[in-house]
Amino acid sequence: MATAQRPFHLVVFGASGFTGQFVTEEVAREQVDPEGHSRLPWAVAGRSREKLQGVLERAALKLGRPTLSSEVGIIICDIANPASLDEMAKQATLVLNCVGPYRFYGEPVVKACVENGTSCIDISGEPQFLELMYWKYHEKAAEKGVYIIGSSGFDSIPADLGVIYTRNKMKGTLTAVESYLAVHSGPEGMCIHDGTWKSAVCGFGDQSNLKKLRNQSNLKPIPIVGPKLKRRWPVSYCRELSSYSIPFLGSDVSVVKRTQRYLYENLDQSPVQYAAYVAVGGITSVIKLMFAGLFFLFFVRFGIGRQLLIKFPWLFSFGYFSKQGPTQKQIDASSFTMTFFGQGYSPDFCPADKNKPNIRICTQVKGPEPGYVTTPIAMVQAAMTLLNDASDLPKAGGVFTPGAAFSRTKLIDRLNQRGIEFSVISSSEV
């Protein structure tokens, strides 16, 4: 609850950034009451009062809420000024952190939130940052009773909760899931803001440190139930979708694996193996992506190469990433579908002796444009779930994946009601 000490239920940090503007708009949309005013006290935060005011004015115009600017607080703070982050955290119950790349700008916000007893949600798709925050802050967050929940946008709520949804819908034990992402665009094509590109360039350029972090963590392997899920070739054909596919190189696999570990170790649930792919269409798309991928992997190995990749995103990504980001027409015409193919055992079948799975299930998560429509909806609904469904969250605070934090909540129902739809396509015994 908001109090004199914490006047705001939530604060959108980085509200004037490219993605932050869309998150601010989504909070305003979610918070409107029947009289057209905000239900909960909230604020926007960033370095420039003028830019923050501009974001609120544009949201007010778009949503037809002329009083919005006067209803929302403004907090001036800067990543480079830890004291200002402390002041922001002290005023909020929950911070929505939209400032990336998180490997450079994420930790000061997590640190300020943990130290000041404030929960925090981010939309990072950077495994190294997400895993490092767990090792550095999980115990401190648990002591403070606050929730630090990463990857709560398109990376990786559809994948993480999609696997949990698939497990919940299978009548038996789910042992393995493969997901296939398809992104659909309209006649003007698709485009992603270069902030995501920068995160990818820096992440791939620092793979050795991620490996080192994982080696140092020295985690015991969790058991494999049923046959081991085999990796597919770098280019493979998915007969069910009539499409070629390549491995998905985002954070989904890292996040889902961490969730499955948590569910196994803390809730005694059978762990699910997981692999993620992107459906890319026909052979022409495969050739185009192979060229782009080879260029990327060559240049990302060198410091000067990374500088060139960051300076000319449009050139090196074959037009998929730009400093301007997508137009509203491109956003409105885009959507995604994530299809999950699961296998497992019926209740009367014993998986212990590595028998072939005897049940298959196909589920789907589909929704609007991933980066700037689905991501704000997912982030804001994660925030509403955290604020309103406290009894269904893990009992102690800590650093969590979305699946670990929200597996027992009604977050999937909330997302369904707002256009991110979870459904069963088919289920059968083999």
Side-chain angles (χ1 to χ4, degrees):
M1 294 292 286
T3 64
Q5 288 75 35
R6 292 184 187 263
F8 303 114
H9 277 74
L10 56 86
V11 171
V12 181
F13 179 53
S16 59
F18 193 82
T19 306
Q21 298 175 63
F22 292 99
V23 172
T24 300
E25 205 175 283
E26 186 60 29
V27 174
R29 191 179 286 114
E30 172 66 25
Q31 287 306 309
V32 67
D33 66 15
E35 282 84 45
H37 301 299
S38 293
R39 284 197 189 100
L40 300 176
W42 64 287
V44 291
R47 289 179 296 178
S48 166
R49 181 176 294 276
E50 189 181 346
K51 286 183 180 178
L52 294 169
Q53 192 68 42
V55 168
L56 292 174
E57 286 167 5
R58 286 192 293 277
L61 193 63
K62 190 170 181 179
L63 301 174
R65 290 183 56 191
T67 61
L68 181 66
S69 298
S70 61
E71 295 168 17
V72 180
I74 291 180
I75 300 170
I76 305 303
C77 59
D78 188 340
I79 282 288
N81 183 348
S84 72
L85 295 178
D86 287 337
E87 283 306 308
M88 173 185 71
K90 285 172 185 173
Q91 295 182 65
T93 304
L94 170 63
V95 169
L96 303 188
N97 183 16
C98 304
V99 179
Y102 290 89
R103 66 168 48 245
F104 301 129
Y105 308 122
E107 185 172 355
V109 181
V110 172
K111 185 172 185 285
C113 285
V114 170
E115 288 180 353
N116 292 284
T118 306
S119 291
C120 180
I121 288 176
D122 70 49
I123 44 177
S124 170
E126 304 164 46
Q128 187 177 342
F129 167 77
L130 295 164
E131 293 178 32
L132 183 62
M133 291 306 97
Y134 174 82
W135 291 111
K136 287 185 79 169
Y137 293 99
H138 180 67
E139 289 182 7
K140 293 177 190 172
E143 285 169 18
K144 290 277 191 175
V146 299
Y147 297 88
I148 307 298
I149 305 170
S151 51
S152 293
F154 179 72
D155 292 328
S156 291
I157 276 184
D160 205 14
L161 294 189
V163 172
I164 288 171
Y165 176 84
T166 305
R167 183 202 67 204
N168 292 345
K169 292 299 178 183
M170 177 175 265
K171 292 169 183 170
T173 302
L174 181 68
T175 62
V177 173
E178 292 178 310
S179 70
Y180 289 83
L181 168 65
V183 179
H184 320 286
S185 58
E188 295 193 13
M190 63 175 286
C191 181
I192 304 170
H193 188 258
D194 78 326
T196 305
W197 176 257
K198 283 177 192 169
S199 298
V201 170
C202 296
F204 279 98
D206 200 26
Q207 282 284 301
S208 59
N209 278 325
L210 177 57
K211 284 179 185 169
K212 199 185 293 180
L213 175 67
R214 287 173 175 170
N215 290 336
Q216 286 170 350
S217 64
N218 204 22
L219 290 168
K220 273 175 61 181
I222 57 174
I224 292 171
V225 181
K228 187 173 181 180
L229 186 62
K230 290 178 184 173
R231 272 187 178 181
R232 297 188 181 274
W233 289 95
V235 177
S236 61
Y237 189 75
C238 178
R239 208 174 288 114
E240 294 88 346
L241 299 177
S242 303
S243 173
Y244 284 95
S245 68
I246 60 174
F248 180 63
L249 300 177
S251 61
D252 287 356
V253 172
S254 162
V255 171
V256 170
K257 282 183 175 178
R258 287 172 57 217
T259 293
Q260 292 306 312
R261 174 177 291 279
Y262 173 86
L263 296 176
Y264 169 71
E265 292 177 349
N266 294 274
L267 300 181
D268 204 26
Q269 293 181 5
S270 179
V272 178
Q273 302 172 72
Y274 177 66
Y277 301 93
V278 184
V280 295
I283 197 69
T284 309
S285 298
V286 171
I287 293 167
K288 187 177 175 183
L289 280 165
M290 279 176 67
F291 271 109
L294 288 169
F295 266 113
F296 183 88
L297 291 172
F298 175 75
F299 278 90
V300 84
R301 292 166 61 197
F302 311 104
I304 193 163
R306 291 193 288 275
Q307 288 174 27
L308 287 168
L309 287 168
I310 288 168
K311 193 171 182 182
F312 304 107
W314 190 86
L315 176 67
F316 287 104
S317 69
F318 287 72
Y320 284 117
F321 292 85
S322 79
K323 292 181 183 294
Q324 293 76 36
T327 64
Q328 192 60 50
K329 276 187 181 177
Q330 287 175 316
I331 289 172
D332 292 342
S334 297
S335 61
F336 80 92
T337 305
M338 194 174 277
T339 307
F340 299 81
F341 297 103
Q343 61 184 30
Y345 299 98
S346 56
D348 56 346
F349 208 74
C350 178
D353 52 3
K354 300 290 182 187
N355 287 323
K356 280 189 176 178
N358 71 329
I359 298 183
R360 299 202 184 280
I361 186 170
C362 176
T363 63
Q364 204 169 73
V365 180
K366 62 180 181 179
E369 191 278 335
Y372 312 107
V373 183
T374 289
T375 286
I377 291 171
M379 187 184 211
V380 172
Q381 291 313 312
M384 293 302 104
T385 303
L386 195 152
L387 290 171
N388 297 318
D389 301 348
S391 61
D392 296 322
L393 298 171
K395 282 180 184 170
V399 178
F400 297 101
T401 60
F406 300 124
S407 66
R408 294 184 293 183
T409 69
K410 296 284 191 279
L411 178 55
I412 289 174
D413 295 339
R414 286 178 174 275
L415 295 171
N416 267 318
Q417 290 162 16
R418 287 159 181 85
I420 301 172
E421 300 169 9
F422 293 67
S423 61
V424 176
I425 305 301
S426 64
S427 181
S428 62
E429 286 204 27
V430 178

